[in-house]
C-alpha cells in the first residue's frame, strides 16, 4: 500500500479518531500514516452493530410480549451474547437462560441483579425495565 | 493528587501491544519502533480458531495471542519485566498510584468497553487492550493509548472498571513495567532468531495455524450457504477481524514489512528489503479480499463464496512462497 492509498474518506464509527496504518512513501520506505478510515472498515463495523441492534430490538418485542425478561434485552443492548454473559458473570448459560423467564426474573435476589447490572454498566433499576 | 512522568512521549501505533512495548522501551532508553517490537517478538502469525467464538463467530487472529509481544521483549533486551495482578480492586488502584508517584510509566491491560474516550461504536467487550498510564491529574489518569493519535484521559472509576472487567482474558488489574533493561540495542542475532520463529509458525504443521490456517478458513468460506442470511455476517466478521480489531490481516503484513526493512539494515542482508516489498504486495492482496467482501455485503456484487475462497487460497499460496523465501534469506 502506498501513502496515497491509505483510506481517508472517513469512517463514522471512529468518532473522529484516526488509526495508524503503515504504507510506502515515495522513497519506498514503509512509514506510519494516520488514517481517517474508509468504506471497507466502516461497512463491517456497521454490519456488526446492525446485527446487535436486530437482536436487541427482537428481544425488546419479546419482553413487551411477556416472553422474556428485560435481562435479555439489556444483554444485547450492552453488546453481550449468552456465552459472553456467562463469561463475564461466571453464571452457567442455562442459569442465565432461566433468568430470562419473566416470573423467575421478578424473584431474583438483589445480589444477582447487582452482578448483572455491574458487568453491563447499568443500575439495578434500569435492569428491571426496558428503556 | 497530581503526578506526571516527565519526558514521556506518546506515540500513535497500529496495534496496542506493540505500541505499548515500543513506547515503554523507548522511554527507558532502548529506542525501538513499533514495527521492531512487533517483528522482534515474532508476533506475526495467522490462526483460525473455530472453537473460540467471538460474538458468535470463530476467532481469526492475524497475530500471536495477547502478551506475546511484551514477553517477546524479555530476551532480546535482557529485560526483567514486572507483571502484577490483583484480587482486590482498591489495592490494584493504589498500587498504580504508588508506581506513578515513584516515577514509573505503567502498562495496564483493560477492557475497551469501559474506556470513555473510545468512540461508542467501537466499545466492545474486548479484554486485552493495552495502554500506558503516565500521570494523574485530580481524578483523571493521563493515558497514552497507542491506538489514538493523541494522549487521552480517563476518570478513576472508569479505569477501575476497565482494569477489572471479567470474562475471557480478564485483565485482573494487570499492570507491568520494566525493572531492568540489560541491552539497549537490537542485535542482528535477535532479529534473525525472531524471523526464524515467525517462519516456523507460518509454515508449521498445525492445521489451524499459519498458511494451513488460511487454507482452512478458505475452505470454510467456500462452503458458506448463500441462502443463509448469517453467511454475509460471517464474511463481514472475517474482514472486521482483519481490518478493524487490532488492525489485523493486511495491517500486520504492512507492519511486518516495515520490520523487515529495519531488519535489512541491522543484519546487512539486502534480500530482506526485497522481501519487504513482496510482503507489501501480499498485504495489498488482503485488502483486495476485504474490498471484494464488502462489495458483496453491500450488494454491489453477487455473493460468491467460491470466489472469496479462491482469493484466500491465493493469499495462502503467496504467503507460503513468501515465508519459504524468507527462510532461505536468513539461512
Amino acid at each position: 500500500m502506498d501513502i496515497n492509498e491509505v483510506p481517508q474518506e472517513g469512517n463514522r464509527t471512529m468518532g473522529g479518531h484516526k488509526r495508524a496504518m503503515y504504507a510506502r512513501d515515495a522513497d519506498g520506505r514503509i512509514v506510519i500514516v494516520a488514517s481517517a478510515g474508509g468504506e471497507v472498515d466502516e461497512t463491517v463495523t456497521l454490519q456488526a452493530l446492525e446485527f446487535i441492534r436486530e437482536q436487541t430490538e427482537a428481544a425488546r418485542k419479546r419482553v413487551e410480549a411477556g416472553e422474556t425478561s428485560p435481562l435479555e434485552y439489556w444483554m444485547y443492548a450492552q453488546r453481550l451474547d449468552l456465552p459472553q454473559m456467562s463469561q463475564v458473570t461466571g453464571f452457567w448459560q442455562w442459569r442465565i437462560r432461566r433468568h430470562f423467564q419473566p416470573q423467575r426474573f421478578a424473584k431474583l435476589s438483589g445480589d444477582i441483579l447487582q452482578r448483572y447490572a455491574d458487568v453491563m454498566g447499568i443500575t439495578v433499576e434500569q435492569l428491571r425495565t426496558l428503556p | 493528587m497530581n503526578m506526571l512522568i516527565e519526558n514521556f512521549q506518546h506515540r500513535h501505533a497500529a496495534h496496542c501491544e506493540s505500541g505499548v512495548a515500543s513506547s515503554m522501551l523507548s522511554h527507558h532508553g532502548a529506542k525501538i519502533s513499533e514495527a521492531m517490537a512487533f517483528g522482534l517478538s515474532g508476533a506475526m502469525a495467522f490462526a483460525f480458531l473455530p472453537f473460540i467464538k467471538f460474538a458468535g463467530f470463530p476467532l481469526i487472529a492475524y497475530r500471536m495471542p495477547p502478551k506475546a509481544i511484551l514477553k517477546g521483549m524479555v530476551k532480546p533486551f535482557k529485560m526483567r519485566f514486572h507483571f502484577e495482578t490483583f484480587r482486590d480492586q482498591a489495592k490494584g488502584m493504589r498500587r498504580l498510584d504508588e508506581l506513578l508517584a515513584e516515577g514509573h510509566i505503567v502498562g495496564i491491560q483493560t477492557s475497551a468497553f469501559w474506556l470513555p474516550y473510545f468512540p461508542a461504536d467501537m466499545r466492545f467487550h474486548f479484554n486485552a487492550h493495552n495502554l500506558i498510564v503516565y500521570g494523574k491529574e485530580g481524578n483523571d489518569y493521563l493515558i497514552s493509548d497507542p491506538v489514538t493519535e493523541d494522549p487521552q484521559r480517563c476518570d478513576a472509576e472508569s479505569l477501575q472498571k476497565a482494569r477489572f472487567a471479567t470474562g475471557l482474558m480478564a485483565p485482573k488489574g494487570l499492570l507491568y513495567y520494566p525493572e531492568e533493561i540489560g541491552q539497549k540495542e537490537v542485535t542482528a542475532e535477535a532479529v534473525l532468531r525472531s524471523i526464524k520463529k515467525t517462519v516456523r509458525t507460518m509454515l508449521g504443521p498445525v492445521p489451524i495455524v499459519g498458511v494451513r490456517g488460511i487454507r482452512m478458513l478458505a475452505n470454510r468460506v467456500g462452503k458458506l450457504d448463500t441462502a443463509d442470511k448469517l453467511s454475509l455476517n460471517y464474511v463481514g466478521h472475517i474482514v472486521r477481524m482483519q481490518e478493524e480489531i487490532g488492525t489485523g490481516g493486511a495491517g500486520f503484513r504492512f507492519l511486518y514489512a516495515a520490520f523487515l526493512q529495519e531488519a535489512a539494515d541491522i543484519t546487512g542482508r539486502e534480500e530482506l528489503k526485497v522481501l519487504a516489498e513482496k510482503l507489501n504486495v501480499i498485504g495489498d492482496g488482503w485488502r483486495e479480499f476485504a474490498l471484494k467482501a464488502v462489495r458483496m455485503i453491500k450488494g454491489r456484487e453477487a455473493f460468491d463464496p467460491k470466489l472469496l475462497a479462491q482469493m484466500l487460497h491465493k493469499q495462502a499460496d503467496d504467503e507460503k512462497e513468501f515465508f519459504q523465501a524468507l527462510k532461505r534469506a536468513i539461512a
Side-chain angles (χ1 to χ4, degrees), chain A residues 19 22 24 39 45 79 88, chain B residues 34 120 166 244 277 300:
Chain A
R19 70 163 56 102
Y22 285 80
R24 192 171 42 189
E39 193 188 13
T45 302
R79 299 190 181 155
V88 298
Chain B
E34 180 194 11
T166 49
E244 281 277 57
E277 194 44 48
R300 286 183 204 143

Side-chain angles (χ1 to χ4, degrees), chain A residues 1-2 5-7 11-24 27-35 38-52 54-55 75 77-81 83-90 117-122, chain B residues 12-14 34-35 53-57 113-114 117-125 127 146-149 152 161 166-168 229-230 232-237 239-240 243-244 247 251 254-255 257-258 261-262 265 273 276-277 280-281 284 287 290-291 294 297-298 300:
Chain A
M1 182 166 57
D2 287 337
E5 292 167 329
V6 172
N11 170 341
R12 65 189 143 108
T13 66
M14 282 162 60
H17 282 278
K18 284 192 171 182
R19 70 163 56 102
M21 294 184 87
Y22 285 80
R24 192 171 42 189
D27 302 324
R29 289 204 62 83
I30 298 169
V31 294
I32 197 160
V33 186
S35 162
E39 193 188 13
V40 169
D41 31 283
E42 185 183 71
T43 303
V44 289
T45 302
L46 289 176
Q47 186 195 29
L49 291 167
E50 175 59 21
F51 185 52
I52 295 171
E54 281 169 19
Q55 289 172 314
M75 175 176 84
Q78 298 305 97
R79 299 190 181 155
L80 294 162
D81 56 17
Q84 277 179 307
M85 182 61 114
S86 169
Q87 283 162 359
V88 298
T89 55
D118 283 347
V119 299
M120 295 192 287
I122 57 173
Chain B
H12 198 192
E34 180 194 11
K53 297 282 192 239
F54 192 88
F57 297 106
F113 184 77
W114 302 99
Y117 58 83
F118 255 59
D121 287 344
M122 294 284 172
R123 289 171 70 176
F124 292 95
H125 296 267
N127 273 339
V147 304
T148 64
E149 218 178 353
Q152 303 291 332
K161 278 273 196 188
T166 49
L168 195 67
K229 191 177 160 284
L230 283 183
L232 277 173
N233 286 82
Y234 193 106
V235 171
H237 172 76
V239 176
R240 205 165 141 246
E243 300 289 326
E244 281 277 57
T247 57
F254 298 128
L255 187 53
Q261 288 188 338
E262 283 192 52
D265 291 337
K273 278 194 182 146
E277 194 44 48
N280 209 2
V281 174
D284 287 339
R287 282 173 55 82
L291 190 65
V294 161
I297 292 167
K298 289 222 145 183
R300 286 183 204 143

Side-chain angles (χ1 to χ4, degrees), chain B residues 103-120:
Chain B
H104 288 280
I105 56 164
V106 186
I108 57 174
Q109 186 185 333
T110 60
S111 161
F113 184 77
W114 302 99
L115 297 173
Y117 58 83
F118 255 59

Side-chain angles (χ1 to χ4, degrees), chain B residues 214-231:
Chain B
I214 303 175
R215 290 210 193 284
M216 191 176 244
L217 176 66
N219 290 334
R220 178 72 191 83
V221 169
K223 281 188 216 134
L224 285 174
D225 178 4
T226 49
D228 185 350
K229 191 177 160 284
L230 283 183
S231 291

Side-chain angles (χ1 to χ4, degrees), chain B residues 18-262:
Chain B
S18 45
V20 163
S22 94
S23 289
M24 197 166 243
L25 269 89
S26 296
H27 179 76
H28 290 285
K31 302 216 177 300
I32 56 161
S33 65
E34 180 194 11
M36 185 49 74
F38 185 76
L40 206 53
S41 57
M44 196 174 78
F46 183 92
F48 173 53
L49 307 169
F51 41 85
I52 301 181
K53 297 282 192 239
F54 192 88
F57 297 106
L59 187 67
I60 304 157
Y62 297 79
R63 59 165 171 100
M64 295 301 260
K67 273 198 243 169
I69 297 177
L70 294 170
K71 287 184 179 159
M73 297 293 99
V74 170
K75 210 168 162 189
F77 294 102
K78 300 198 170 72
M79 272 181 86
R80 266 196 308 136
F81 227 138
H82 181 81
F83 289 91
E84 204 172 335
T85 55
F86 302 87
R87 203 169 287 176
D88 181 350
Q89 300 196 6
K91 213 165 151 189
M93 294 308 281
R94 265 203 311 277
R95 181 80 178 121
L96 175 59
D97 289 350
E98 276 167 31
L99 288 169
L100 289 171
E102 286 169 20
H104 288 280
I105 56 164
V106 186
I108 57 174
Q109 186 185 333
T110 60
S111 161
F113 184 77
W114 302 99
L115 297 173
Y117 58 83
F118 255 59
D121 287 344
M122 294 284 172
R123 289 171 70 176
F124 292 95
H125 296 267
F126 173 65
N127 273 339
H129 184 64
N130 285 278
L131 50 85
I132 292 176
V133 184
Y134 68 97
K136 193 177 183 186
E137 242 178 66
N139 191 42
D140 280 355
Y141 286 93
L142 306 179
I143 306 281
S144 165
D145 188 324
V147 304
T148 64
E149 218 178 353
D150 303 306
Q152 303 291 332
R153 282 166 173 268
C154 180
D155 62 278
E157 293 71 31
S158 300
L159 197 69
Q160 181 168 341
K161 278 273 196 188
R163 289 181 65 199
F164 290 93
T166 49
L168 195 67
M169 300 185 289
K172 301 192 175 78
L174 176 71
L175 56 78
Y176 50 87
Y177 58 93
E179 282 179 319
E180 195 191 320
I181 300 179
Q183 160 81 34
K184 306 251 162 128
E185 304 290 328
V186 179
T187 63
E189 283 156 78
V191 167
L192 293 174
R193 196 168 348 121
S194 76
I195 294 176
K196 212 173 269 173
K197 182 179 169 228
T198 300
V199 167
R200 252 201 321 264
T201 310
M202 288 303 294
L203 297 179
V206 187
I208 56 172
V209 175
V211 171
R212 296 191 62 188
I214 303 175
R215 290 210 193 284
M216 191 176 244
L217 176 66
N219 290 334
R220 178 72 191 83
V221 169
K223 281 188 216 134
L224 285 174
D225 178 4
T226 49
D228 185 350
K229 191 177 160 284
L230 283 183
S231 291
L232 277 173
N233 286 82
Y234 193 106
V235 171
H237 172 76
I238 299 172
V239 176
R240 205 165 141 246
M241 300 295 271
Q242 175 183 326
E243 300 289 326
E244 281 277 57
I245 304 168
T247 57
F252 287 165
R253 269 60 191 161
F254 298 128
L255 187 53
Y256 201 73
F259 160 72
L260 288 179
Q261 288 188 338
E262 283 192 52

Side-chain angles (χ1 to χ4, degrees), chain A:
Chain A
M1 182 166 57
D2 287 337
I3 284 184
N4 60 14
E5 292 167 329
V6 172
Q8 300 294 5
E9 5 5 327
N11 170 341
R12 65 189 143 108
T13 66
M14 282 162 60
H17 282 278
K18 284 192 171 182
R19 70 163 56 102
M21 294 184 87
Y22 285 80
R24 192 171 42 189
D25 70 8
D27 302 324
R29 289 204 62 83
I30 298 169
V31 294
I32 197 160
V33 186
S35 162
E39 193 188 13
V40 169
D41 31 283
E42 185 183 71
T43 303
V44 289
T45 302
L46 289 176
Q47 186 195 29
L49 291 167
E50 175 59 21
F51 185 52
I52 295 171
R53 204 189 59 82
E54 281 169 19
Q55 289 172 314
T56 311
E57 285 314 305
R60 178 196 285 277
K61 291 216 174 71
R62 285 200 305 279
V63 176
E64 284 163 353
E67 293 162 10
T68 189
S69 68
L71 174 63
E72 189 179 4
Y73 168 86
W74 281 107
M75 175 176 84
Y76 292 123
Q78 298 305 97
R79 299 190 181 155
L80 294 162
D81 56 17
L82 190 58
Q84 277 179 307
M85 182 61 114
S86 169
Q87 283 162 359
V88 298
T89 55
F91 297 151
W92 293 100
Q93 291 190 25
W94 60 262
R95 192 166 171 211
I96 299 169
R97 240 183 259 119
R98 275 160 61 115
H99 296 163
F100 290 164
Q101 297 171 16
Q103 335 62 283
R104 281 187 203 274
F105 180 75
K107 282 186 273 178
L108 282 184
S109 74
D111 283 357
I112 289 181
L113 289 174
Q114 193 62 55
R115 182 112 144 239
Y116 281 125
D118 283 347
V119 299
M120 295 192 287
I122 57 173
T123 63
V124 171
E125 291 72 62
Q126 280 177 298
L127 177 59
R128 283 205 173 100
T129 54
L130 289 176

